[in-house]
Amino acid sequence: MSKQLVAGIDIGGTNSVFGLVDRKGNCIAKGSIPTAQLKTAESLVKEISRAIKGFSEGYEVLGAGIGAPSANYHNGSIEHAANLQWKGIVPLARMFQRMMKIPVVLTNDANAGALGEMIFGGAKNMKDFIFITLGTGLGSGIVVDGRVVYGHDGFAGEIGHTCAIPGGRACGCGRKGCLETYVSATGIKRTINEWIEAGKTTSLAKFPAKDISAERIYNEALNGDQVAREAFEFTGEILGRVLADSVAYTSPEAIFLFGGLANAGDLIFKPTIEHFEANLLRLYQGKVKILQSGLFENNAAILGAAALIWDELEKRKQHN
Amino acid sequence: MSKQLVAGIDIGGTNSVFGLVDRKGNCIAKGSIPTAQLKTAESLVKEISRAIKGFSEGYEVLGAGIGAPSANYHNGSIEHAANLQWKGIVPLARMFQRMMKIPVVLTNDANAGALGEMIFGGAKNMKDFIFITLGTGLGSGIVVDGRVVYGHDGFAGEIGHTCAIPGGRACGCGRKGCLETYVSATGIKRTINEWIEAGKTTSLAKFPAKDISAERIYNEALNGDQVAREAFEFTGEILGRVLADSVAYTSPEAIFLFGGLANAGDLIFKPTIEHFEANLLRLYQGKVKILQSGLFENNAAILGAAALIWDELEKRKQHN
């Protein structure tokens, strides 16, 4: 009997990555395609399907999971994605299904990440947890009783767009004060740039605003720049405060932080945990862990998408 | 075959009410007992069990559901309830089970209310909704994919203790700015009393602070008192803003408001819906309903507890 694998596909605005993954989370083969250079969703589906078919020789591929922006789990469509070229509603799961003739499931990248954490990462024995991805924005996947929360519309888990500071920073979503305007790579850059404009003294002031990346802020913080360190503290304070509210919603066993900012170690975890504990209902104090994701950054997007379909296939099996 | 019923039991700090309920939500018989006058949990369990047995003649009672403060669904215990005389951890479900020899399930009153809404009320065809009870405090039950969210610790759904105003009013939980310090019968009283102290002119100023009830504020608002009306607007503004964040968590189809304040009609619903819509992610605007609960106030606590056990019995049946 040939080895059973699934395909994990992550659609990004710039690049799409995909691979074949076994039940233990080993990525057997992988590839990538520049999303932006393909004009239609059809051509992307064709290219990726062909590449996966090429990898599949000698294996049994049971299904495909897709992580994508603005993805609706319920109907398998990408709906009005801001950072993809395809307009309107694109029934991506159905398109892949037709091409690949295997079960296909679609959700957004943060929900896929949460499943990756549950199937392959640090949440293996957990039924209730929250997964936060700190990239350009802040994505979140909420798991309750072993199942991702999709909600009525299929898009649930948007903690990045809860209000962290009423009337605060303008957000890309058109509102003000959203968590992701403070807590994300973009958020910490805005913090530093605001502080430089306000006259704070930092070694980062020598760079043009557009060249101040989250990584550069991290490096300057390590080099002892006090303002860069404070920017992490400020970011962690807001994150900790909002996560304390998140606990009141779904009472997770742990909260996992993933992505660029989450790699800053104590710089971000220390203030986050401090303000998290200070703002938690007493009932929860000292009981809810804030942990670094157990997913390797390198293949995380592919693993998340692969976990989505492994999880789905196992649920379908239980039902039959 | 005798008619099948369940027992619904609601444990309150002052009174406990209980009754027999059929699958359609008809309350066949009911009674109440003054909780505070019984010194031990044992005596309460005995009294209620005996009364229910008295009602049960000629019926088949399939199980009992209990709504109670500080109730842990997972282990069936009441844990450190602030407004009950019993100290520590009381394994109430097990105690009733031993006495009544039928399956018993326990959860807090807001979660029971959510199930009441789903089984007997306005959420009959919904799988994702939020139930908010506006009494002395603010309780909430969150339903995701047809199941109440209990979380890792069994207490999830504490929207009343998310932070509405950072650094705001002192809350009984020991923190500041919790939603329920603004949005509850107690909250609106605090609002009026603060405003009277600050010198606002209102017909309510003639009453001693302790005599200003939410009902009195409602009546004065109906009589045209501008400050009383503003107190409802202020309350609705904060509630609407926080509920917009709630939608970002679990993407409900609707949010139900239950209890005293929810009976104030347009006075509370209008500002709540206005600020809810203004603060929603665009994706959700105009799509999430805020509705008055479909449960009759009169038997709501009994119906909620009865719904809890009907739901449990049906889930167990599906599993077998």
Side-chain angles (χ1 to χ4, degrees), chain A residues 1 6 28 52 126 131 161 165 171 182 191 208 255 289 291:
Chain A
M1 204 177 83
V6 298
I28 307 297
I52 288 174
M126 294 187 188
F131 178 83
H161 292 286
I165 294 187
C171 183
Y182 297 89
T191 301
I255 299 173
K289 297 173 279 252
L291 302 169

Side-chain angles (χ1 to χ4, degrees), chain A residues 58-304:
Chain A
Y59 298 115
E60 184 187 1
V61 180
L62 301 175
I66 310 173
S70 307
N72 185 328
Y73 171 81
H74 292 319
N75 61 19
S77 296
I78 292 185
E79 306 191 358
H80 312 288
N83 59 347
L84 293 176
Q85 296 182 69
W86 328 324
K87 300 283 163 257
I89 295 177
V90 180
L92 202 72
R94 208 177 333 135
M95 292 162 69
F96 268 107
Q97 203 151 359
R98 240 181 244 151
M99 195 68 77
M100 301 174 77
K101 321 271 187 223
I102 49 177
V104 178
V105 191
L106 171 81
T107 191
N108 77 42
D109 36 2
N111 286 342
L115 284 164
E117 200 70 50
M118 186 166 80
I119 306 278
F120 305 128
K124 265 179 198 158
N125 297 310
M126 294 187 188
K127 299 205 118 198
D128 297 273
F129 67 94
I130 296 177
F131 178 83
I132 303 278
T133 156
L134 300 165
T136 312
L138 184 152
S140 63
I142 303 172
V143 174
V144 168
D145 201 17
R147 315 195 305 179
V148 168
V149 174
Y150 294 112
H152 181 61
D153 74 339
F155 294 106
E158 287 286 357
I159 300 176
H161 292 286
T162 59
C163 186
I165 294 187
R169 290 181 185 165
C171 183
C173 77
R175 299 174 313 148
K176 284 188 168 177
C178 289
L179 179 63
E180 77 168 20
T181 67
Y182 297 89
V183 182
S184 63
T186 321
I188 197 169
K189 284 192 279 181
R190 285 175 82 168
T191 301
I192 282 288
N193 286 322
E194 278 178 20
W195 288 359
I196 289 172
E197 269 186 47
K200 284 207 185 187
T201 308
T202 161
S203 54
L204 288 155
K206 63 178 181 272
F207 302 106
K210 67 174 179 45
D211 290 347
I212 299 178
S213 64
E215 204 182 344
R216 186 158 267 169
I217 300 168
Y218 171 69
N219 287 329
E220 292 305 310
L222 285 191
N223 289 338
D225 186 90
Q226 203 48 42
V227 170
R229 298 187 76 90
E230 276 168 29
F232 276 99
E233 276 162 29
F234 177 72
T235 307
E237 174 176 346
I238 295 175
L239 179 58
R241 194 158 51 67
V242 171
L243 292 183
D245 279 350
S246 304
V247 171
Y249 275 90
T250 63
S251 174
E253 180 174 355
I255 299 173
F256 292 89
L257 306 184
F258 173 82
L261 280 188
N263 299 327
D266 274 357
L267 274 174
I268 187 75
F269 276 87
K270 235 182 121 203
T272 301
I273 292 171
E274 181 190 333
H275 291 276
F276 176 68
E277 288 291 337
N279 285 282
L280 270 181
L281 260 174
R282 258 184 220 149
L283 168 67
Y284 293 115
Q285 278 167 10
K287 291 185 185 161
V288 186
K289 297 173 279 252
I290 295 193
L291 302 169
Q292 183 151 19
S293 168
L295 289 176
F296 291 107
E297 192 105 14
N298 214 1
N299 288 333
I302 294 172
L303 289 181

Side-chain angles (χ1 to χ4, degrees), chain B residues 7-21:
Chain B
I9 303 166
D10 181 76
I11 310 289
T14 313
N15 281 299
S16 294
V17 294
F18 49 88
L20 292 178
V21 178

Side-chain angles (χ1 to χ4, degrees), chain B residues 192-244:
Chain B
I192 282 289
N193 286 323
E194 278 179 19
W195 288 359
I196 289 173
E197 267 186 47
K200 285 206 184 186
T201 309
T202 161
S203 55
L204 288 156
K206 64 177 181 274
F207 302 105
K210 65 175 179 47
D211 290 347
I212 300 179
S213 63
E215 204 182 343
R216 187 158 265 170
I217 301 169
Y218 172 69
N219 287 330
E220 292 304 310
L222 286 191
N223 288 337
D225 185 89
Q226 203 48 43
V227 170
R229 298 186 77 88
E230 275 168 31
F232 276 99
E233 276 162 30
F234 176 72
T235 307
E237 174 177 345
I238 294 175
L239 178 58
R241 193 158 53 64
V242 171
L243 292 182

